[in-house]
Amino acid sequence: MKNLSEDLSNRLKKFNVNMSFQPTNPLHKFIGVKKDPLDGMSHCNVVYKISCNECDASYVGQNKRQLHTRVNEHRRDINKRSGSPSVISTHKSESGHDFNWNHVEILDEEIAYKKRMVSEMINIKRQLNPLNLQSDTLALPDVYSPILNTFPSK
């Protein structure tokens, strides 16, 4: 406060007390350091959905790494000849359908692994036509089903 602060400071100096002043409007309130937003495929710690182009089937997964890394693994898995095929590969080979690789949807972002796993299970249960194996949601107690059924399917 103009004049009052200086006057108080001068009076306190007699008692060997020094005052320091802090501006009421620091510069950081007006000038913020903003980062450019990340491209969706660069996000980490996400629950994501890959949709089929020709039907309502979809696959929900979770990933700690950058999303584009995991999506590229899914795409490469379709072309591999050995090992057990993924549910995405099986859907493509049985139906001839392809997936919308350019529009993978981020359903949730969660750093904590256990919370991300719960989010994945909930989002699998909310799909109209999930490609995920039913074993993917065994850890989600059936007690939550009535609550999940109140939300519209995705």
Side-chain angles (χ1 to χ4, degrees):
M1 300 177 80
K2 191 171 182 163
N3 297 328
L4 180 63
S5 299
E6 289 88 2
D7 186 41
L8 183 59
S9 176
N10 290 332
R11 290 174 191 251
L12 289 174
K13 282 183 185 177
K14 294 176 187 174
F15 301 102
N16 288 331
V17 176
N18 290 323
M19 284 184 61
S20 63
F21 299 98
Q22 184 174 358
T24 55
N25 293 318
L27 195 56
H28 69 81
K29 283 187 176 181
F30 301 105
I31 302 173
V33 178
K34 301 277 185 193
K35 294 183 178 179
D36 291 336
L38 285 176
D39 167 44
M41 296 299 278
S42 296
H43 285 246
C44 300
N45 300 306
V46 296
V47 175
Y48 61 92
K49 178 173 94 170
I50 302 172
S51 299
C52 178
N53 276 334
E54 282 99 50
C55 68
D56 63 356
S58 59
Y59 172 81
V60 171
Q62 67 85 26
N63 186 35
K64 180 179 181 172
R65 300 169 294 159
Q66 288 189 340
L67 183 56
H68 69 84
T69 302
R70 184 65 184 118
V71 169
N72 288 337
E73 289 172 350
H74 283 299
R75 293 179 85 167
R76 281 194 307 272
D77 187 63
I78 289 174
N79 298 324
K80 81 177 185 185
R81 301 287 179 221
S82 62
S84 59
S86 70
V87 292
I88 292 176
S89 299
T90 302
H91 182 73
K92 180 165 174 56
S93 67
E94 290 177 356
S95 67
H97 295 175
D98 200 5
F99 289 85
N100 194 346
W101 300 110
N102 296 324
H103 293 16
V104 176
E105 184 180 352
I106 295 176
L107 302 174
D108 192 13
E109 286 189 53
E110 177 57 57
I111 293 173
Y113 174 72
K114 288 185 179 184
K115 289 180 182 179
R116 198 169 58 246
M117 291 299 290
V118 170
S119 177
E120 178 191 30
M121 288 185 276
I122 289 169
N123 280 291
I124 289 170
K125 289 276 193 186
R126 293 182 66 207
Q127 299 306 301
L128 291 173
N129 185 9
L131 293 175
N132 299 75
L133 303 174
Q134 292 306 307
S135 61
D136 290 345
T137 60
L138 289 177
L140 186 66
D142 289 333
V143 110
Y144 293 108
S145 293
I147 296 168
L148 293 176
N149 292 336
T150 64
F151 294 101
S153 296
K154 290 185 172 187

